[in-house]
Amino acid sequence: MEFASNFSDQLNVGLILPEGIVVATLLAVLIGDLILGRRAARGLPYIAIAGLLLSIVSLYFYWDAENPTALLGSFSGDDLSIIFRGVIALSTAVTILMSIRYVEQTGGALSEFIAIMLTATLGGMFLAGANELVMIFVALETLSISSYLMTGYMKRDSRSNEAALKYLLIGAASSAVFLYGSSLLYGLSGGKTILPEIAQGLAQVEGGELASAIALVFMIAGIAFKISAVPFHQWTPDVYEGSPTPVVAFLSVGSKAAGFALAIRLLVVAFPLEQPQWRLIFTALAILSMILGNAVALAQTSMKRLLAYSSIGQAGFVMIGMVAATQAGYASMIFYLLVYLFMNLGAFTGLILFSLRTGTDQITEYAGLYQKDPLLTLGLSICLLSLGGIPPLAGFFGKIYLFWAGWQAGLYGLVILGLVASVVSIYYYIRVVKMMVVKEPQEMSDTVRNYPAVRWNLPGMRPLQVGLVFSLVVTSLAGILSNPLFTLANTSIENTEALKSASTFLEETTAQNKEVSLADPMAPAIVEK
Amino acid sequence: MDLAQGVQFVSFIILAAMMFSAALGVVLLRNIVYSAFLLGAVFISISGLYLLLNAEFVAASQILVYVGAVNVLILFAIMLVNKKEAFPALGRNWLRGGATALVCVGLFALLGTMAISTPWSIADRAGVAAEGSVIKIGKHFFSDFLLPFELASVLLLITMVGAIILARRDLIPEEPPESGLTETEAYKLQERPRELISVGKSESEDQS
Amino acid sequence: MELQLEYYLILAAGLFCIGIYGLVTSRNVVRVLMSVELLLNAVNLNLIGFSSFIDPIDIKGQVFSVFVIIVAAAESAVGLAIILAIYRNRNTVDMERFNLLKW
């Protein structure tokens, strides 16, 4: 720990410039609200969006950085982290677009809401690049604690209170379990906290299988809570139903992406030798998530709960890439998360628009919507069909790539199950679309019959329109023009040193072990001579 | 066994027994106020264990933060939500308790076996205490743990803001207040109708 | 009788299991929150034990546990704010009666 002259080189602070921009935006929003007051603070959400977009632009300049390690190893700004940080920041930007009107209509304080959401983004972005146990923990808790705050933000609504309480208690317990696992990892590796060093430390330990298995299971339990994989999903429907809808949109995209980033980095870098074990655990999680998420979604009558269960199912599909544990597998996860970002946020924007105008989110109330509001119907239908994986929309190519990567890795059973599950999922997405489009005028629901005139010039409606059109355009175009996204996902994985060195490390260690086991029978012979 | 080791061992036994019994009291006692005070006892005995492990700084911050802040906060919360509440009995309550206890004992057996069977790479502790732990921790905070340190400050800021937002009552009057200011008993709240907590008149009648 | 690392680890494991028991069986929300604090303290005991026996030069475990303490304080502040908000609306702290949302 010498404070040498090249200390600033080791710090390499430039790599966290995007996060710095987010922090500056966060402070600007908080202080601006204090100085300008409630009424004059209308512009603050746009400042937040501008800051997030600026942060995404600055991420581009660190693409393929020469030295991706920053702050003495606690943060890694490699391409893998850049793409996840981009996804998280973008999801927050779109979520802010849809929350302006929602928060004002429900009577909350908007600028504090934006500030908390920016903190959650900050936590997620740091989590995507965290390369050290302490950093992982603090970033994870920043993300979680601000999520609890956002979940309970509608404090006069006792359902929102209850959702926040359940989320907090289950979340705190799961992070404690995660911590117990990381403390074991710290002890087992001989006092290391940086992930690659932990892998080396673990390789030197003889006879620590039980401890490392317990550490692995405990840490996966913490991660599975974040990505809401079955059986760690119990909080999801409750929290999704009770909390404000924009928060649900963020939790289902941004927070989940951060969880997957953590899963890839932690498991691949710190547990290269336990690869068969964690692949097995993730296989179980993927199977359960796909079956339960999609089966329960069939029975839902509320649109919000439908999207909650469908997001559990979608997480199951993404986990196929994790189980494959190949470069193509990780790239397909990133590709799917990129398109999932737009289609899921588009679906949530549609849901928010409908519930703002009518005050309900029952699926039967959507009947005949296309005659009253064609744009909303179009946006919601395209996004739902894409979530279901109908060609030629973006979701179809995402699923194909995931299944292809799984098939290449020899996961035939899992891929077939995924195909069946996605056929089931098409059924419940189509049901909503059919409800909106096919119904005759006389079958129209009362809510839609009394549908207010579509006015986009009300305060806060314009951002919603922008968000809806944006996700609609991306979802429909990303299918046909998927090549740039595809290349992006692939290069980010190829350029990431951490994944490569982990796999070479695995090969070397297994090779050494083989040599040792070959050499062992020789040893007594030499002694006998 | 020399004297120092003997003293250490005896104090370990005492602290461990204190911690265990207090922790059991926290989860098992019926009165929540006793539990809160026993939680303080758990925290204090753990900080004693930290002293045995040469971690003075953590022991001090354990007392300052856990006993001084968290425990006091919990006591405040108990006072604010102090409705005497008879929890309606559930069927098969003992079954749930028994099953959970069984699982917990199993988990303890697993973790204990792991602790004993794993060959921990114990380092040589001779001549370690030359530099105090405070200096080392300070150096860590400003070198390799700089980033989490800074992030924790953002986390604490937003926790403060968010906790105030959630816990405060919105005192926005429904119409602009009359100059007479007739309402002396309590503010009119913008929230949905409910009983005021611990300051209203009806509350004390409920309690008695 | 010299103190061994294993003693501390077993002590921490015991505290962790008591915490889990309290987490699952408690009816009072405040008690559930206390159980979470017990869990975090068990982790801290683990970390300090490892830092003292395995990593006595670098004591990273102590730094880690300071961060755990910071975060635990933040978490309990948020938890109590949420409990106050829910108590105002529902006038109860019984876990079993927080059932507006179905599992």
Side-chain angles (χ1 to χ4, degrees):
Chain A
M1 205 194 308
E2 282 193 11
F3 289 78
S5 57
N6 60 350
F7 190 61
S8 63
D9 291 347
Q10 292 181 10
L11 273 185
N12 202 0
V13 187
L15 277 184
I16 58 165
L17 178 71
E19 282 78 7
I21 295 174
V22 175
V23 174
T25 320
L26 160 73
L27 292 178
V29 169
L30 269 186
I31 296 170
D33 180 53
L34 286 178
I35 294 173
L36 299 176
R38 279 283 130 82
R39 291 284 143 225
R42 279 274 160 79
L44 289 176
Y46 304 103
I47 294 182
I49 293 171
L52 286 167
L53 293 181
L54 191 66
S55 145
I56 294 170
V57 171
S58 67
L59 277 173
Y60 171 77
F61 290 104
Y62 292 102
W63 184 260
D64 233 349
E66 272 181 28
N67 175 16
T69 317
L71 292 147
L72 301 155
S74 53
F75 187 80
S76 163
D78 47 20
D79 291 355
L80 178 72
S81 83
I82 284 182
I83 206 155
F84 273 110
R85 284 145 83 197
V87 167
I88 295 162
L90 198 60
S91 75
T92 312
V94 181
T95 311
I96 289 177
L97 280 180
M98 62 174 97
S99 57
I100 296 172
R101 176 80 187 173
Y102 189 94
V103 176
E104 281 189 348
Q105 191 152 333
T106 45
L110 180 60
S111 39
E112 280 89 350
F113 182 78
I114 305 276
I116 297 174
M117 183 159 270
L118 285 175
T119 317
T121 316
L122 185 71
M125 287 171 80
F126 272 127
L127 188 60
N131 201 22
E132 198 240 342
L133 287 181
V134 179
M135 188 59 212
I136 288 175
F137 170 63
V138 177
L140 187 68
E141 286 298 300
T142 309
L143 175 62
S144 318
I145 289 181
S146 19
S147 308
Y148 311 148
L149 287 171
M150 288 194 291
T151 309
Y153 207 75
M154 303 295 133
K155 60 179 173 178
R156 280 172 233 144
D157 181 357
S158 49
R159 294 195 310 165
S160 172
N161 297 152
E162 205 178 302
L165 185 71
K166 285 182 180 165
Y167 194 23
L168 175 106
L169 294 176
I170 301 178
S174 85
S175 69
V177 170
F178 180 84
L179 260 183
Y180 197 90
S182 29
S183 79
L184 288 182
L185 215 53
Y186 168 73
L188 204 59
S189 65
K192 301 286 186 288
T193 56
I194 296 180
L195 296 183
E197 292 180 10
I198 288 176
Q200 286 163 7
L202 285 184
Q204 287 162 6
V205 177
E206 300 270 323
E209 286 84 10
L210 181 60
S212 66
I214 288 178
L216 182 68
V217 170
F218 276 22
M219 296 186 95
I220 288 183
I223 296 171
F225 163 78
K226 264 264 140 316
I227 56 180
S228 64
V230 181
F232 301 95
H233 71 289
Q234 277 100 343
W235 59 278
T236 320
D238 278 10
V239 171
Y240 281 17
E241 192 184 356
S243 49
T245 319
V247 178
V248 182
F250 177 76
L251 289 181
S252 72
V253 179
S255 174
K256 209 167 260 192
F260 275 114
L262 171 64
I264 294 180
R265 191 174 296 275
L266 182 74
L267 295 179
V268 173
V269 178
F271 291 103
L273 297 181
E274 280 83 2
Q275 205 194 50
Q277 286 93 320
W278 59 254
R279 282 179 68 183
L280 186 69
I281 297 175
F282 266 95
T283 313
L285 293 178
I287 292 174
L288 289 173
S289 302
M290 284 192 291
I291 292 178
L292 195 124
N294 288 310
V296 182
L298 284 174
Q300 298 305 314
T301 54
S302 141
M303 190 70 187
K304 221 169 162 183
R305 278 182 90 89
L306 174 86
L307 285 179
Y309 278 107
S310 97
S311 86
I312 294 176
Q314 301 280 350
F317 294 131
V318 180
M319 274 183 262
I320 294 178
M322 193 79 217
V323 178
T326 53
Q327 296 231 338
Y330 304 133
S332 67
M333 287 172 78
I334 290 178
F335 182 75
Y336 196 74
L337 283 173
L338 275 172
V339 293
Y340 174 71
L341 161 78
F342 294 105
M343 53 201 191
N344 211 32
L345 287 182
F348 271 108
T349 314
L351 167 65
I352 287 177
L353 258 175
F354 188 76
S355 63
L356 281 178
R357 285 188 179 143
T358 62
T360 176
D361 68 340
Q362 293 299 309
I363 292 173
T364 45
E365 301 291 329
Y366 281 79
L369 185 63
Y370 82 103
Q371 289 167 343
K372 296 277 182 167
D373 195 344
L375 176 64
L376 173 58
T377 311
L378 179 69
L380 201 53
S381 312
I382 293 285
C383 292
L384 288 179
L385 291 178
S386 177
L387 279 171
I390 305 279
L393 298 168
F396 170 73
F397 292 98
K399 274 194 186 135
I400 286 289
Y401 190 21
L402 273 172
F403 292 155
W404 176 80
W407 195 267
Q408 292 291 92
L411 310 166
Y412 306 116
L414 201 57
V415 171
I416 289 168
L417 183 70
L419 282 171
V420 174
S422 60
V423 169
V424 171
S425 80
I426 289 173
Y427 172 74
Y428 59 77
Y429 291 122
I430 293 257
R431 196 171 52 134
V432 181
V433 176
K434 195 180 121 205
M435 194 65 95
M436 289 191 294
V437 178
V438 184
K439 293 275 177 185
E440 295 294 317
Q442 60 271 19
E443 289 176 297
M444 199 183 272
S445 70
D446 292 342
T447 324
V448 173
R449 206 161 280 149
N450 302 326
Y451 199 72
V454 179
R455 284 173 60 199
W456 292 110
N457 52 3
L458 289 174
M461 288 307 249
R462 196 60 75 182
L464 269 171
Q465 189 189 16
V466 172
L468 185 64
V469 172
F470 178 61
S471 0
L472 172 62
V473 169
V474 176
T475 309
S476 34
L477 286 190
I480 306 155
L481 305 171
S482 58
N483 217 25
L485 287 180
F486 183 75
T487 327
L488 189 71
N490 268 329
T491 27
S492 78
I493 294 293
E494 276 166 21
N495 289 345
T496 301
E497 274 313 306
L499 299 180
K500 263 188 251 168
S501 56
S503 58
T504 45
F505 176 73
L506 175 64
E507 281 160 19
E508 277 169 20
T509 327
T510 37
Q512 271 175 11
N513 282 354
K514 268 178 201 157
E515 277 170 28
V516 170
S517 54
L518 284 179
D520 265 348
M522 304 288 285
I526 296 167
V527 171
E528 275 170 19
K529 277 183 186 174
Chain B
M1 178 158 89
D2 62 17
L3 187 63
Q5 274 183 1
V7 171
Q8 276 190 9
F9 192 76
V10 171
S11 30
F12 175 82
I13 295 290
I14 293 172
L15 287 170
M18 247 175 82
M19 192 201 79
F20 253 114
S21 45
L24 282 174
V26 170
V27 292
L28 294 179
L29 285 185
R30 296 190 70 81
N31 190 332
I32 188 81
V33 182
Y34 293 161
S35 298
F37 279 106
L38 283 177
L39 188 67
V42 175
F43 292 154
I44 291 176
S45 34
I46 286 181
S47 90
L49 289 171
Y50 292 166
L51 284 179
L52 283 182
L53 286 165
N54 297 325
E56 314 91 62
F57 181 77
V58 188
S61 41
Q62 166 93 4
I63 294 208
L64 285 176
V65 178
Y66 266 123
V67 185
V70 173
N71 206 15
V72 172
L73 206 61
I74 286 177
L75 278 171
F76 265 111
I78 292 173
M79 285 193 286
L80 287 175
V81 294
N82 60 352
K83 208 176 80 167
K84 276 265 185 305
E85 196 173 357
F87 295 125
L90 289 177
R92 309 223 182 141
N93 211 359
W94 59 272
L95 189 67
R96 192 169 82 158
T100 316
L102 211 63
V103 170
C104 288
V105 169
L107 184 65
F108 177 68
L110 178 70
L111 293 180
T113 322
M114 185 254 334
I116 294 169
S117 70
T118 307
W120 307 102
S121 52
I122 308 284
D124 184 21
R125 288 210 286 170
V128 164
E131 198 180 30
S133 66
V134 183
I135 299 171
K136 279 186 190 166
I137 291 176
K139 277 185 183 168
H140 274 303
F141 274 154
F142 288 98
S143 60
D144 46 352
F145 292 96
L146 182 63
L147 190 57
F149 189 70
E150 299 296 338
L151 184 57
S153 63
V154 180
L155 170 65
L156 288 178
L157 170 73
I158 218 68
T159 305
M160 192 175 71
V161 173
I164 290 173
I165 289 178
L166 286 191
R168 81 169 171 199
R169 296 188 217 151
D170 288 334
L171 295 174
I172 309 163
E174 276 163 27
E175 56 250 71
E178 310 290 311
S179 54
L181 275 180
T182 43
E183 58 237 273
T184 41
E185 18 188 350
Y187 291 99
K188 285 263 191 291
L189 302 178
Q190 207 200 21
E191 296 165 25
R192 68 175 52 173
R194 54 174 175 73
E195 291 164 9
L196 295 181
I197 37 165
S198 52
V199 285
K201 280 192 246 164
S202 55
E203 178 79 7
S204 52
E205 289 161 13
D206 276 356
Q207 290 281 308
S208 56
Chain C
M1 283 298 265
E2 202 174 343
L3 288 176
Q4 304 287 327
L5 173 61
E6 283 79 3
Y7 299 170
Y8 290 97
L9 294 185
I10 290 174
L11 205 57
L15 193 57
F16 194 79
C17 295
I18 293 176
I20 297 251
Y21 179 80
L23 198 72
V24 178
T25 55
S26 295
R27 299 277 302 271
N28 190 325
V29 180
V30 183
R31 203 195 299 270
V32 180
L33 214 62
M34 292 189 207
S35 308
V36 172
E37 300 298 332
L38 289 184
L39 290 183
L40 291 175
N41 268 284
V43 173
N44 266 355
L45 196 54
N46 242 353
L47 282 172
I48 303 272
F50 283 133
S51 124
S52 171
F53 282 91
I54 289 178
D55 187 21
I57 312 287
D58 226 11
I59 54 169
K60 281 184 184 157
Q62 293 195 20
V63 186
F64 201 157
S65 66
V66 173
F67 280 107
V68 176
I69 291 178
I70 294 172
V71 168
E75 210 164 53
S76 63
V78 172
L80 295 173
I82 291 173
I83 290 177
L84 276 188
I86 198 171
Y87 180 75
R88 283 200 193 136
N89 282 332
R90 305 288 301 278
N91 208 11
T92 179
V93 286
D94 184 359
M95 282 302 284
E96 299 295 334
R97 285 165 65 186
F98 297 143
N99 49 11
L100 282 182
L101 305 167
K102 291 181 289 295
W103 286 106

